[in-house]
Amino acid sequence: MASKLDKEYKVRDLIYGFVKLDAQEMDIVNLPAFQRLRRIKQLSLTDMVYPGASYTRFEHSLGVVQMATDMFDNIVSKDDNLKRLQLKPGGIFRIKKIIRLAALLHDIGHAPFSHAGEESMPLLPSNHPKYELGDSKRYEHEDYSIAIIRYLCKDIIEKHPFGEELGIKVDEVTALLGDESVQPTRPTILWKELISGQLDADRADYLLRDSLHIGVNYGIYDRNRFINCVTIGKLKDSDCFLAIEDGGWHVAESLVIARYQMYSQVYFHPVRRIFDYHLSQATKEVLKSLKYGDGLFPEPTSQQNVLEYLEIDDCKMYSAFKDSNGGNHGRIIMQREPYKLKKSWDEELTDADRINVNSAIGQYEGYLDEGAITKWYKFDKDIIIFNKETQRSYPLSYKSKLIKAMSGLPKETRLYLNTEKCGADYEFAI
Amino acid sequence: MQIMSSQYNKNIILNIIEQYPGLGKTAVMKILYMLQQVKNINLNYDFTIYTYGPYSAEVVEDIDDLIEDSLIDSCAYEYNNYVGYNLNLTTMGKTKLSKLATKDEAKIKDVLSFVEDKHAKDLELLSTIIFIENQYAKNQWTKEQDDIVGKVAEIKPHFNREKISMAYTTLLEKKYIKT
């Protein structure tokens, strides 16, 4: 049933109190493709370590709408920003609506268990706009999001009676999600930073939400101060960019520290990391048992493929694990008997180390987690600070000694072995 | 085509900085973009278009790794109200520097000789033109000079059309873009 055009829908939320949606957005939320996000856990199997980490992409997606809206509203509430943006009142509402739609839909293409399933996405074909000569890169969830929006949400974006007069095109929404089949424009280059950039609403939401659900304080930062300090910078010979006001650089510092803490304490937790591995292996097995012999999701290249992809969610995966269709790794997940961490290194492995590691993995089964770097939790420390009085910009690391001194991501290399085979007391020695 | 390892990419960065001490982070970014896009050295970096032209978070990560490993030093500088970082090899960085594959060496030499007299703003413009031209080619959009120059003028209004046209012609002559 279509939502009432004149009604504002309010959804209770852990962080914002309420997330407000209009009739068009509510109709998008009611689409089966969006409702599927209720069955995609935001933090994969992090709940094997932190039991509270069981919330879903559905909740986060609504949260990003509110965060992006709050950030945008604050930016355009200041005259000097409006001057820099050269925006008129009608234009403000239109851009805000595009940002809200992109924020709402940015994660609609996630695979089961969020990022852990991405290893089962097919390789990019050579005719894909993101393909570079010699690439061996895979599709990412953003590519599935873009395809789902194009195949299943185009009409609701372009023809919904609410906001139809704005004439918003689906291209304008997907462009903010990095769609390279759309010509870049000044607004998309600027505003996509609000959806996926150094200062994006996505990270700003998940840091708080993850912390609150998990029960840790590492990701907590001053949200109100942050929102109030987001601004538009512009130098004499540059275009507009998203920045933090000079007076608010401390909040940018706390955001980076929060992110660092969450990386090291939660996202890179050794048990969470090994479950990511088990999940990626089990996902391949489940896909083979469905009808995908190559263990890969269907490519996001047709409506039919997209619909088939959307059939696969966490529930389907758990069901397959229970039916023993996830192979040994599916069993490991169901019984919570992961490979155990047997050795970790702070530095790169020598060739001799590597021979020993490969030998142990060959003998006992195991996994070498190298670098523990995940692209989806990229650690960017240099937020741009802008001083509107002096019209000067500088990176956060220039102002903050703490940020300057911070090292990069934890770069531990970890060896996990199957203790059923090597025994619980086995000690790996170089 | 062989995909280069992260170690190889970092060695390329060290080699670039060795040849041009004091190069800015943003300039290194644009040089790597040209090496990947124009010279087909597959560095496996994902570039997207941002305010200052093509940008890859993976490049930033590699540079930060080199700083963290004390192989390069970064030193803040200010230019036109913008604070950035200059990069220089450390003593340890000089010892870690290793020779690149001969074919890549020639490609790097070519790009470096092309950019040596260019300012950061010029590199922003040149790399943006290459990015747009490449995007048009991949999407099989009409890409006459007017189309590319017009699009760059639209997204980079702080460059005038004449300057963009001149940069386009330079890239064409240099065979860094195709007609």
Side-chain angles (χ1 to χ4, degrees), chain A residues 284-303:
Chain A
K284 289 189 181 97
E285 293 301 316
V286 172
L287 289 172
K288 282 180 196 166
S289 79
L290 291 171
K291 62 173 188 179
Y292 308 106
D294 50 6
L296 299 173
F297 289 109
E299 282 189 78
T301 47
S302 69
Q303 182 163 335

Side-chain angles (χ1 to χ4, degrees), chain B residues 19-69:
Chain B
Q19 293 184 53
Y20 282 92
L23 210 54
K25 254 189 194 180
T26 312
V28 173
M29 175 83 74
K30 307 308 179 211
I31 290 167
L32 289 168
Y33 176 70
M34 288 184 192
L35 288 173
Q36 176 163 301
Q37 191 53 52
V38 179
K39 297 293 178 184
N40 293 330
I41 300 181
N42 197 333
L43 304 166
N44 223 22
Y45 290 133
D46 272 335
F47 282 93
T48 180
I49 190 90
Y50 272 109
T51 311
Y52 294 109
Y55 173 89
S56 164
E58 293 143 329
V59 171
V60 177
E61 199 172 291
D62 277 350
I63 292 174
D64 284 350
D65 276 354
L66 290 167
I67 294 170
E68 196 189 323
D69 293 342

Side-chain angles (χ1 to χ4, degrees), chain A residues 133-354:
Chain A
L133 194 62
D135 249 0
S136 59
K137 287 199 167 146
R138 296 186 181 280
Y139 282 104
E140 294 171 308
H141 75 270
E142 290 90 344
D143 302 304
Y144 283 84
S145 290
I146 290 165
I148 292 164
I149 295 167
R150 287 191 170 283
Y151 288 121
L152 305 179
C153 308
K154 186 175 190 295
D155 282 355
I156 213 164
I157 288 171
E158 296 187 352
K159 294 178 184 163
H160 195 281
F162 185 94
E164 196 178 10
E165 72 281 3
L166 296 173
I168 291 172
K169 299 291 173 205
V170 74
D171 279 359
E172 296 176 275
V173 177
T174 58
L176 294 195
L177 305 179
D179 187 351
E180 294 200 6
S181 70
V182 179
Q183 293 203 4
T185 63
R186 280 180 77 201
T188 56
I189 289 173
L190 173 65
W191 296 116
K192 77 177 176 182
E193 294 218 41
L194 209 58
I195 306 295
S196 97
Q198 309 273 58
L199 281 172
D200 65 32
D202 182 18
R203 277 183 262 200
D205 181 85
Y206 77 61
L207 280 174
L208 291 174
R209 200 171 293 281
D210 291 355
S211 294
L212 291 170
H213 277 282
I214 289 172
V216 299
N217 288 327
Y218 315 127
I220 307 287
Y221 62 93
D222 186 344
R223 176 173 66 92
N224 290 330
R225 179 78 174 126
F226 169 70
I227 287 167
N228 275 286
C229 291
V230 177
T231 191
I232 297 295
K234 187 176 182 335
L235 303 180
K236 195 174 62 186
D237 57 351
S238 86
D239 207 0
C240 295
F241 53 88
L242 211 56
I244 288 283
E245 286 175 5
D246 201 3
W249 68 268
H250 287 104
V251 77
E253 182 184 63
S254 70
L255 187 78
V256 175
I257 293 167
R259 202 186 305 162
Y260 181 84
Q261 292 277 15
M262 288 297 279
Y263 271 114
S264 50
Q265 305 291 317
V266 178
Y267 309 136
F268 288 166
H269 189 287
V271 177
R272 182 232 146 97
R273 291 285 301 172
I274 191 59
F275 272 112
D276 276 352
Y277 170 71
H278 291 309
L279 261 180
S280 68
Q281 299 304 305
T283 301
K284 289 189 181 97
E285 293 301 316
V286 172
L287 289 172
K288 282 180 196 166
S289 79
L290 291 171
K291 62 173 188 179
Y292 308 106
D294 50 6
L296 299 173
F297 289 109
E299 282 189 78
T301 47
S302 69
Q303 182 163 335
Q304 181 58 33
N305 280 8
V306 158
L307 289 169
E308 283 183 21
Y309 174 81
L310 289 169
E311 284 296 310
I312 310 167
D313 55 25
D314 291 8
C315 295
K316 188 152 194 156
M317 297 296 289
Y318 274 125
S319 173
F321 298 162
K322 278 179 76 177
D323 293 342
S324 305
N325 287 329
N328 191 41
H329 295 280
R331 181 193 61 78
I332 283 172
I333 292 166
M334 293 308 285
Q335 296 179 354
R336 202 195 179 281
E337 289 176 348
Y339 292 171
K340 293 285 188 295
L341 180 64
K342 288 292 171 185
K343 178 88 183 164
S344 62
W345 295 261
D346 290 336
E347 293 179 350
E348 276 187 41
L349 265 62
T350 63
D351 290 345
D353 291 341
R354 206 168 280 278

Side-chain angles (χ1 to χ4, degrees), chain A residues 32-48:
Chain A
F34 197 91
Q35 289 292 315
R36 169 182 173 270
L37 294 178
R38 292 183 189 274
R39 301 184 298 277
I40 305 288
K41 285 204 284 187
Q42 173 80 14
L43 287 166
S44 188
L45 290 181
T46 306
D47 62 343
M48 292 286 194

